[in-house]
């Protein structure tokens, strides 16, 4: 039996409605972080504010829990 290792973001994106305001914020934060990282001068450039990362990770965990709950409800 082959087991697939999915990331939290994959589970969130495949389970929840992308038009939900929380999802829109999650996608916006993700895009902003990616832009900041792409514009970094090098790997040691402190390009992403810690507050932005904290907001992203807290929101990601909340959405992940919602996605797990939704998957569990749909399975029953």
């Amino acid at each position: 039996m082959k087991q697939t290792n999915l990331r939290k973001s994959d589970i969130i994106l495949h389970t929840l409605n992308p038009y939900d305001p929380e999802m829109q914020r999650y996608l916006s934060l993700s895009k902003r972080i990616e832009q900041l990282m792409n514009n970094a001068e090098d790997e040691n450039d402190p390009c992403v504010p810690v507050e932005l990362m904290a907001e992203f990770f807290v929101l990601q965990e909340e959405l992940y829990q919602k996605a797990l709950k939704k998957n569990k409800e749909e399975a029953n």
Side-chain angles (χ1 to χ4, degrees):
M1 182 174 167
K2 185 177 179 183
Q3 186 173 358
T4 305
N5 186 12
L6 293 175
R7 300 178 311 176
K8 285 183 178 182
S9 60
D10 294 331
I11 294 169
I12 291 168
L13 295 173
H14 287 94
T15 305
L16 301 177
N17 181 353
Y19 299 107
D20 180 68
E22 285 183 313
M23 280 293 292
Q24 289 292 309
R25 180 65 181 153
Y26 177 73
L27 295 171
S28 173
L29 286 170
S30 177
K31 184 175 180 180
R32 181 67 181 136
I33 291 167
E34 183 177 7
Q35 288 172 342
L36 289 170
M37 291 177 69
N38 287 339
N39 291 334
E41 293 179 17
D42 61 26
E43 64 218 22
N44 295 319
D45 185 9
C47 58
V48 182
V50 68
E51 296 85 3
L52 189 65
M53 293 301 296
E55 182 181 358
F56 176 79
F57 286 121
V58 167
L59 185 56
Q60 182 181 50
E61 188 59 32
E62 290 172 1
L63 292 172
Y64 179 67
Q65 293 303 321
K66 284 183 180 182
L68 291 178
K69 183 178 178 182
K70 184 176 179 179
N71 281 335
K72 184 177 179 182
E73 289 172 355
E74 290 176 355
N76 289 332

